[in-house]
PDB file of all heavy atoms in Angstrom:
ATOM      1  N   LEU A  45    -119.824 -10.379-119.592  1.00 91.00           N
ATOM      2  CA  LEU A  45    -118.450 -10.426-119.895  1.00 91.00           C
ATOM      3  C   LEU A  45    -117.608  -9.146-119.664  1.00 91.00           C
ATOM      4  O   LEU A  45    -116.466  -9.140-119.230  1.00 91.00           O
ATOM      5  CB  LEU A  45    -118.370 -10.704-121.459  1.00 91.00           C
ATOM      6  CG  LEU A  45    -118.625 -12.155-121.945  1.00 91.00           C
ATOM      7  CD1 LEU A  45    -118.601 -12.220-123.506  1.00 91.00           C
ATOM      8  CD2 LEU A  45    -117.762 -13.136-121.288  1.00 91.00           C
ATOM      9  N   GLU A  46    -118.468  -8.003-119.658  1.00 93.00           N
ATOM     10  CA  GLU A  46    -117.687  -6.714-119.289  1.00 93.00           C
ATOM     11  C   GLU A  46    -117.278  -6.804-117.742  1.00 93.00           C
ATOM     12  O   GLU A  46    -116.164  -6.322-117.424  1.00 93.00           O
ATOM     13  CB  GLU A  46    -118.720  -5.547-119.387  1.00 93.00           C
ATOM     14  CG  GLU A  46    -119.040  -5.186-120.844  1.00 93.00           C
ATOM     15  CD  GLU A  46    -120.115  -6.179-121.376  1.00 93.00           C
ATOM     16  OE1 GLU A  46    -120.725  -7.044-120.675  1.00 93.00           O
ATOM     17  OE2 GLU A  46    -120.435  -6.015-122.611  1.00 93.00           O
ATOM     18  N   LYS A  47    -118.029  -7.421-116.887  1.00 93.00           N
ATOM     19  CA  LYS A  47    -117.646  -7.626-115.436  1.00 93.00           C
ATOM     20  C   LYS A  47    -116.550  -8.524-115.281  1.00 93.00           C
ATOM     21  O   LYS A  47    -115.584  -8.400-114.583  1.00 93.00           O
ATOM     22  CB  LYS A  47    -118.803  -8.083-114.757  1.00 93.00           C
ATOM     23  CG  LYS A  47    -118.631  -8.319-113.186  1.00 93.00           C
ATOM     24  CD  LYS A  47    -118.396  -7.172-112.549  1.00 93.00           C
ATOM     25  CE  LYS A  47    -118.218  -7.335-110.987  1.00 93.00           C
ATOM     26  NZ  LYS A  47    -117.748  -6.004-110.319  1.00 93.00           N
ATOM     27  N   VAL A  48    -116.512  -9.563-116.217  1.00 93.00           N
ATOM     28  CA  VAL A  48    -115.374 -10.576-116.167  1.00 93.00           C
ATOM     29  C   VAL A  48    -114.087  -9.858-116.530  1.00 93.00           C
ATOM     30  O   VAL A  48    -113.032  -9.984-115.934  1.00 93.00           O
ATOM     31  CB  VAL A  48    -115.681 -11.742-117.130  1.00 93.00           C
ATOM     32  CG1 VAL A  48    -114.382 -12.673-117.307  1.00 93.00           C
ATOM     33  CG2 VAL A  48    -116.756 -12.626-116.667  1.00 93.00           C
ATOM     34  N   ASP A  49    -114.183  -8.929-117.595  1.00 92.00           N
ATOM     35  CA  ASP A  49    -112.948  -8.285-118.011  1.00 92.00           C
ATOM     36  C   ASP A  49    -112.430  -7.387-117.088  1.00 92.00           C
ATOM     37  O   ASP A  49    -111.341  -7.259-116.787  1.00 92.00           O
ATOM     38  CB  ASP A  49    -113.309  -7.527-119.417  1.00 92.00           C
ATOM     39  CG  ASP A  49    -113.502  -8.390-120.623  1.00 92.00           C
ATOM     40  OD1 ASP A  49    -113.057  -9.591-120.450  1.00 92.00           O
ATOM     41  OD2 ASP A  49    -114.116  -7.903-121.539  1.00 92.00           O
ATOM     42  N   GLN A  50    -113.481  -6.658-116.294  1.00 93.00           N
ATOM     43  CA  GLN A  50    -113.043  -5.741-115.210  1.00 93.00           C
ATOM     44  C   GLN A  50    -112.284  -6.554-114.085  1.00 93.00           C
ATOM     45  O   GLN A  50    -111.258  -6.070-113.456  1.00 93.00           O
ATOM     46  CB  GLN A  50    -114.254  -5.077-114.693  1.00 93.00           C
ATOM     47  CG  GLN A  50    -114.957  -3.934-115.513  1.00 93.00           C
ATOM     48  CD  GLN A  50    -116.255  -3.524-115.054  1.00 93.00           C
ATOM     49  OE1 GLN A  50    -116.542  -3.792-113.933  1.00 93.00           O
ATOM     50  NE2 GLN A  50    -116.992  -2.784-115.911  1.00 93.00           N
ATOM     51  N   LEU A  51    -112.886  -7.715-113.722  1.00 93.00           N
ATOM     52  CA  LEU A  51    -112.244  -8.463-112.634  1.00 93.00           C
ATOM     53  C   LEU A  51    -110.914  -8.973-113.007  1.00 93.00           C
ATOM     54  O   LEU A  51    -109.958  -8.822-112.191  1.00 93.00           O
ATOM     55  CB  LEU A  51    -113.117  -9.639-112.314  1.00 93.00           C
ATOM     56  CG  LEU A  51    -114.454  -9.321-111.585  1.00 93.00           C
ATOM     57  CD1 LEU A  51    -115.411 -10.472-111.781  1.00 93.00           C
ATOM     58  CD2 LEU A  51    -114.249  -8.973-110.194  1.00 93.00           C
ATOM     59  N   LEU A  52    -110.643  -9.436-114.264  1.00 93.00           N
ATOM     60  CA  LEU A  52    -109.380  -9.875-114.698  1.00 93.00           C
ATOM     61  C   LEU A  52    -108.408  -8.723-114.700  1.00 93.00           C
ATOM     62  O   LEU A  52    -107.160  -8.845-114.403  1.00 93.00           O
ATOM     63  CB  LEU A  52    -109.509 -10.452-116.069  1.00 93.00           C
ATOM     64  CG  LEU A  52    -110.219 -11.830-116.131  1.00 93.00           C
ATOM     65  CD1 LEU A  52    -110.490 -12.326-117.626  1.00 93.00           C
ATOM     66  CD2 LEU A  52    -109.461 -12.904-115.286  1.00 93.00           C
ATOM     67  N   ALA A  53    -108.917  -7.517-115.207  1.00 92.00           N
ATOM     68  CA  ALA A  53    -107.955  -6.361-115.296  1.00 92.00           C
ATOM     69  C   ALA A  53    -107.490  -5.909-113.893  1.00 92.00           C
ATOM     70  O   ALA A  53    -106.315  -5.585-113.631  1.00 92.00           O
ATOM     71  CB  ALA A  53    -108.703  -5.314-115.971  1.00 92.00           C
ATOM     72  N   SER A  54    -108.399  -5.964-113.016  1.00 93.00           N
ATOM     73  CA  SER A  54    -108.150  -5.477-111.530  1.00 93.00           C
ATOM     74  C   SER A  54    -107.055  -6.540-110.876  1.00 93.00           C
ATOM     75  O   SER A  54    -106.353  -6.055-109.989  1.00 93.00           O
ATOM     76  CB  SER A  54    -109.441  -5.483-110.824  1.00 93.00           C
ATOM     77  OG  SER A  54    -109.982  -6.709-110.504  1.00 93.00           O
ATOM     78  N   LYS A  55    -107.147  -7.690-111.357  1.00 93.00           N
ATOM     79  CA  LYS A  55    -106.226  -8.769-110.709  1.00 93.00           C
ATOM     80  C   LYS A  55    -105.005  -9.033-111.612  1.00 93.00           C
ATOM     81  O   LYS A  55    -104.314 -10.043-111.297  1.00 93.00           O
ATOM     82  CB  LYS A  55    -107.004  -9.958-110.409  1.00 93.00           C
ATOM     83  CG  LYS A  55    -107.991  -9.866-109.253  1.00 93.00           C
ATOM     84  CD  LYS A  55    -107.295  -9.840-107.925  1.00 93.00           C
ATOM     85  CE  LYS A  55    -108.231  -9.899-106.861  1.00 93.00           C
ATOM     86  NZ  LYS A  55    -107.615  -9.924-105.467  1.00 93.00           N
ATOM     87  N   ARG A  56    -104.834  -8.250-112.579  1.00 92.00           N
ATOM     88  CA  ARG A  56    -103.755  -8.623-113.623  1.00 92.00           C
ATOM     89  C   ARG A  56    -102.534  -8.734-112.983  1.00 92.00           C
ATOM     90  O   ARG A  56    -101.775  -9.800-113.358  1.00 92.00           O
ATOM     91  CB  ARG A  56    -103.738  -7.516-114.702  1.00 92.00           C
ATOM     92  CG  ARG A  56    -102.733  -7.880-115.810  1.00 92.00           C
ATOM     93  CD  ARG A  56    -102.803  -6.788-116.870  1.00 92.00           C
ATOM     94  NE  ARG A  56    -101.749  -7.064-117.903  1.00 92.00           N
ATOM     95  CZ  ARG A  56    -100.422  -6.767-117.746  1.00 92.00           C
ATOM     96  NH1 ARG A  56    -100.055  -6.083-116.722  1.00 92.00           N
ATOM     97  NH2 ARG A  56     -99.614  -7.102-118.715  1.00 92.00           N
ATOM     98  N   ARG A  57    -102.053  -7.887-112.197  1.00 92.00           N
ATOM     99  CA  ARG A  57    -100.536  -8.066-111.536  1.00 92.00           C
ATOM    100  C   ARG A  57    -100.549  -9.263-110.760  1.00 92.00           C
ATOM    101  O   ARG A  57     -99.544 -10.034-110.806  1.00 92.00           O
ATOM    102  CB  ARG A  57    -100.327  -6.760-110.651  1.00 92.00           C
ATOM    103  CG  ARG A  57     -98.967  -6.879-110.045  1.00 92.00           C
ATOM    104  CD  ARG A  57     -98.728  -5.542-109.201  1.00 92.00           C
ATOM    105  NE  ARG A  57     -98.400  -4.562-109.985  1.00 92.00           N
ATOM    106  CZ  ARG A  57     -97.969  -3.361-109.623  1.00 92.00           C
ATOM    107  NH1 ARG A  57     -97.909  -3.108-108.220  1.00 92.00           N
ATOM    108  NH2 ARG A  57     -97.684  -2.367-110.505  1.00 92.00           N
TER     109      ARG A  57
END
Side-chain angles (χ1 to χ4, degrees):
L45 288 176
E46 292 79 5
K47 179 66 174 172
V48 171
D49 289 340
Q50 288 170 12
L51 289 164
L52 291 172
S54 69
K55 289 286 190 178
R56 182 177 178 276
R57 177 177 287 184

